[in-house]
Amino acid sequence: MQFYKPMREKSSVLVAMAALLALVLIAWLALRPARVSEPLGADAPATAFAASRALPVLKFLGQAPRPIASDANARARQYIVERLQSLELDPQVQIASAQSSRTGMAGEYHISLGVANNILVRKPGSAPDHAQRPALLIATHYDSEQPDAGTPIAAMLETLRALQHGAPLANDVIFLFADGEQSGTLGARAFAGQHPWAGDVGLVLQFDAAGDSGPLLLTGTRGGNGKLVAGWLEAAPLAAGTSALSLVARHTPALLAGGPLDRVGPAGMRFANIEDGADLSPRAAQASLQHAGETMLALTRHFGNLPLAYIGSADEVHFALPLVGQVHYTADHVWAITRLVCFMFFLACCLAVKHTGMEVRMMVVGAMCFMVLVFALAMTAAILWKGVPGQGSWYLLAYVALGIALFIELQRLLHKTIGTQATTLGALLVLVLALAAASWAMPGATYLLAWPLISTLLACGVLQLPRVAALPHALRIAILVAGMAPAVLLFAPLLQQLATLFSAARSGLLMVALSAMLGLGTMLLAAMRRRFLAPLLLLVCAGAVLGASPHHAPAGQMTYLNDASSWKAWWVRDQKLLAPAPVRKVAFPEVAVLRDDDDGQRRRISFTLRSQNKAPTIELNVEGAQVLAARLDGKALAGKRTRWWSLSLHGGGARERRFDLDLSSGSAARVSIEERIPGLPGGAWSGPAQLGAMTISSDMLVFR
């Protein structure tokens, strides 16, 4: 392969630095903050969305967290209902019991059970046949574990106000303010499974706040999304989001992926803000609210007038390019693009074998080494990120610089061992196979690999031309930089989103994405062959860490623990006992054991529990024995045999509840009980205000 021989010469320092600078500029272009709308004031037209008119809602909701069944939750519900009534709407509150369950990665099984209070409003359509037409559902949730996350609620109320002043829409539009989202999506489950309006829905638009700033992103769709994406691009101002975000959303509960409303209607779209707005100016925060509200209002009007009976169509791949905007094409083209990539890769392999004598088996070795390298970098990243749990753009820069430096050094060893051709094409082989798998399983994410692979292989092909091969080394490096540009443009925003959404426990996924981008640039890294690159990147890493403002994970809120086992009270933060706390009048859980039998096959225990504190949430955990079956007040709970069984019970008040548990025989069992009450006991805390603080009254039942 003629490309490799002339490119073996070392790049000059100037050429290498110029190439590196070009890639940095391309990354900067891709990472520029997305545009958001200019906030409108109270003098805006009545039919328009104005952030200033929605701000009072944010201020009210920001006073305290709003967990399900809490007093703050009830106050927020009353506030929303009163705002709706002031708009001459007729809200209803759906009160329903719901249950959810989940299994953790370690096999732990958790059940969430409670009473949800959903707020619903239905605006009848103007079409003569509106009662027979599928309705549009606009949904969010009003409960929250933190005092923020109020942007979608404020946006929905202001959207309803604007709709009241505009022309009526053709379709019925249902607005759902769900309860219990943070406690197992209980409200959404109650609506989807029990409310009669759920059967009328043709399209669901869900809005959430995984963050509280930045543009409102389209994070996922379901059903054939061709018409949905086209409508979004046509109606939404400054549309933002990519089809690859749906893949990210599957691993991010905050993005509502796979929630109960996915069972409502044939199609749906999910939107969310994901950026942290803690350091934003008030005007920037209003701009994010304006963008979210304008998008919600525009989509409601667009789909509220569109017949929804035939909303499904072929899926589309869509992504954003700087200076271009949203690019989209039907998913039917995905396999044609993938076959083109495979053909181009086959030609590159043939040329490598013909002109350089590369052995195919060595390319396979290179592919295996690349996969091992990616795994090693991912594990290293997870360990390092836990040690420096920083966030923000400076820490992301340090993380990326460190990853690139390690990748360069490890790839250098491979070049010496199996050769440049095998190393380069081995990495591309893995990415081509990944593209083929994505084309089958998640076509919306294929653009991340397809277009960078085409540009990389095209650059390789161009360098085979005799006239191009005779060009100065700097110009050939420029061709490789151009071939690498699509990878940087498409992967840089994804890396930023992964860093924003994922915790340290999942930081390895960030390194996998970074390694994929670097694998596409293996040819360029091999051609530059400068030993100063890795040390330079390590210096950038150190400088970014040292130059960044300290930004540690915020300390958890103070908790007052009233412990029945020791008859003492403690101050707790981040699950650590800090100091003894003054004893206050906080009642312990009222527990009475009714039964403890063991017939050699299973152990049956029964007890009653009542909260004298009327705790909004009661947590039960069973340890030491396998739970075979469980019943609450005689009703079976959905279960799974496990040694790590827990239950969250919401909204029980002071009612006495009976628990019957069947456990594995012959093992001692412990049942821990925690009553969780928002706020601190009166007079117990004399320090600064503790927004989101909690009181826990605990007890332990031991069955030997």
Side-chain angles (χ1 to χ4, degrees):
M1 192 173 185
Q2 295 178 3
F3 160 74
Y4 287 104
K5 185 175 180 180
M7 295 298 280
R8 284 182 184 276
E9 60 192 87
K10 290 185 178 181
S11 304
S12 67
V13 173
L14 183 61
V15 170
M17 290 296 293
L20 186 61
L21 179 60
L23 293 176
V24 169
L25 290 176
I26 294 170
W28 172 83
L29 186 65
L31 293 174
R32 286 188 310 166
R35 292 175 57 203
V36 294
S37 307
E38 283 296 318
L40 299 182
D43 57 347
T47 56
F49 185 99
S52 61
R53 292 192 285 245
L55 281 179
V57 179
L58 281 181
K59 292 179 180 178
F60 179 87
L61 296 175
Q63 295 176 9
R66 309 176 297 278
I68 183 174
S70 66
D71 292 340
N73 181 278
R75 289 193 298 271
R77 179 167 60 253
Q78 181 181 0
Y79 177 82
I80 295 170
V81 169
E82 291 175 353
R83 290 288 296 240
L84 293 171
Q85 290 172 340
S86 70
L87 297 174
E88 300 182 353
L89 295 167
D90 184 23
Q92 63 170 258
V93 178
Q94 177 198 14
I95 304 175
S97 297
Q99 176 181 329
S100 69
S101 60
R102 59 178 172 82
T103 302
M105 296 183 65
E108 63 273 18
Y109 187 73
H110 181 77
I111 298 173
S112 186
L113 176 65
V115 178
N117 293 265
N118 295 330
I119 307 168
L120 290 137
V121 168
R122 184 164 186 157
K123 282 181 61 64
S126 61
D129 61 341
H130 72 88
Q132 287 73 46
R133 282 184 163 202
L136 173 65
L137 175 64
I138 311 296
T140 189
H141 65 91
Y142 69 91
D143 67 300
S144 175
E145 299 294 336
Q146 300 296 329
D148 50 10
T151 297
I153 306 168
M156 279 180 63
L157 289 172
E158 172 62 7
T159 292
L160 273 162
R161 187 211 56 75
L163 291 174
Q164 288 292 85
H165 288 84
L169 304 179
N171 302 325
D172 286 8
V173 183
I174 301 168
F175 289 82
L176 167 64
F177 300 83
D179 190 15
E181 181 70 27
Q182 305 290 323
S183 305
T185 62
L186 297 182
R189 291 176 185 275
F191 174 80
Q194 303 176 41
H195 201 283
W197 290 354
D200 301 339
V201 175
L203 173 64
V204 179
L205 302 182
Q206 286 178 269
F207 296 86
D208 195 32
D212 52 7
S213 71
L216 185 72
L217 300 178
L218 174 61
T219 61
T221 62
R222 62 180 175 88
N225 70 9
K227 292 181 180 178
L228 301 181
V229 171
W232 168 62
L233 294 176
E234 176 185 343
L238 306 175
T242 70
S243 51
L245 270 177
S246 60
L247 174 63
V248 178
R250 295 178 191 177
H251 304 279
T252 312
L255 294 184
L256 298 170
L261 293 184
D262 279 359
R263 302 193 296 269
V264 176
M269 305 178 77
R270 298 183 292 270
F271 299 87
N273 300 96
I274 67 171
E275 297 178 16
D276 181 13
D279 300 324
L280 282 183
S281 66
R283 184 169 182 82
Q286 289 186 41
S288 294
L289 173 59
Q290 182 72 34
H291 182 257
E294 283 185 352
T295 301
M296 183 184 295
L297 178 59
L299 293 175
T300 302
R301 284 176 170 155
H302 178 83
F303 291 110
N305 287 312
L306 193 69
L308 300 179
Y310 308 101
I311 195 64
S313 60
D315 282 332
E316 291 225 340
V317 179
H318 62 93
F319 54 93
L321 281 179
L323 308 179
V324 176
Q326 287 283 334
V327 178
H328 61 102
Y329 52 88
T330 177
D332 293 339
H333 298 324
V334 165
W335 275 110
I337 296 171
T338 300
R339 285 193 289 269
L340 172 63
V341 171
C342 293
F343 178 70
M344 294 177 68
F345 178 74
F346 175 74
L347 287 181
C349 292
C350 291
L351 290 172
V353 171
K354 178 179 179 181
H355 294 294
T356 68
M358 182 196 74
E359 298 181 32
V360 174
R361 65 181 183 87
M362 296 308 296
M363 180 184 68
V364 175
V365 171
M368 296 176 64
C369 290
F370 178 74
M371 290 188 289
V372 172
L373 184 153
V374 172
F375 177 77
L377 290 179
M379 294 300 296
T380 302
I383 295 171
L384 291 177
W385 195 282
K386 290 180 180 179
V388 186
Q391 298 176 358
S393 57
W394 285 104
Y395 283 104
L396 177 60
L397 174 61
Y399 185 82
V400 170
L402 177 62
I404 297 175
L406 293 175
F407 186 92
I408 289 174
E409 288 304 307
L410 293 174
Q411 283 286 65
R412 191 189 303 278
L413 294 176
L414 283 179
H415 292 162
K416 293 180 179 179
T417 306
I418 63 175
T420 300
Q421 300 94 320
T423 300
T424 301
L425 292 176
L428 294 181
L429 173 60
V430 173
L431 297 176
V432 169
L433 293 176
L435 172 62
S439 300
W440 174 71
M442 41 193 173
T446 53
Y447 74 90
L448 287 168
L449 293 173
W451 300 109
L453 278 168
I454 288 174
S455 64
T456 297
L457 292 169
L458 186 60
C460 173
V462 168
L463 288 167
Q464 309 309 309
L465 301 175
R467 291 184 179 180
V468 176
L471 290 174
H473 187 67
L475 292 180
R476 286 177 286 145
I477 288 288
I479 292 174
L480 284 177
V481 169
M484 180 68 179
V488 177
L489 285 173
L490 296 178
F491 271 92
L494 177 66
L495 293 172
Q496 185 182 50
Q497 291 161 359
L498 290 174
T500 301
L501 290 169
F502 286 170
S503 64
R506 294 180 176 176
S507 60
L509 295 175
L510 179 59
M511 185 57 76
V512 171
L514 178 62
S515 298
M517 183 184 75
L518 295 174
L520 290 160
T522 301
M523 294 181 184
L524 177 60
L525 295 175
M528 292 169 67
R529 297 171 66 87
R530 298 302 308 188
R531 291 191 174 275
F532 76 87
L533 285 176
L536 175 63
L537 290 166
L538 289 175
L539 286 176
V540 171
C541 173
V545 171
L546 295 175
S549 300
H551 187 100
H552 302 288
Q557 293 297 330
M558 191 66 73
T559 297
Y560 180 90
L561 174 62
N562 195 39
D563 181 25
S565 301
S566 62
W567 292 89
K568 294 181 180 180
W570 303 87
W571 291 120
V572 179
R573 175 174 279 164
D574 296 329
Q575 299 182 343
K576 297 179 181 179
L577 294 178
L578 297 181
V583 176
R584 293 292 181 263
K585 292 183 179 179
V586 178
F588 294 115
E590 188 177 292
V591 185
V593 177
L594 306 178
R595 181 183 184 185
D596 181 12
D597 298 332
D598 192 337
D599 61 7
Q601 306 234 337
R602 63 177 56 200
R603 184 174 196 166
R604 294 179 173 87
I605 62 173
S606 302
F607 58 91
T608 59
L609 171 63
R610 186 171 73 90
S611 172
Q612 301 179 68
N613 302 306
K614 298 183 180 179
T617 298
I618 299 176
E619 300 278 354
L620 274 75
N621 288 275
V622 179
E623 301 175 357
Q626 187 177 21
V627 177
L628 307 179
R631 292 172 294 282
L632 173 61
D633 294 332
K635 296 182 179 179
L637 299 174
K640 177 182 178 181
R641 295 190 175 192
T642 177
R643 285 187 174 273
W644 298 278
W645 186 93
S646 60
L647 168 70
S648 296
L649 185 62
H650 307 282
R655 174 185 171 188
E656 183 177 88
R657 315 300 294 265
R658 173 172 174 143
F659 295 86
D660 297 281
L661 303 178
D662 291 359
L663 309 177
S664 55
S665 178
S667 300
R670 298 179 302 278
V671 180
S672 63
I673 303 168
E674 291 185 353
E675 296 183 8
R676 296 177 175 262
I677 311 158
L680 300 175
W685 178 256
S686 58
Q690 292 287 310
L691 194 63
M694 179 179 296
T695 296
I696 296 179
S697 183
S698 69
D699 200 356
M700 175 80 74
L701 300 179
V702 180
F703 299 91
R704 302 187 185 280

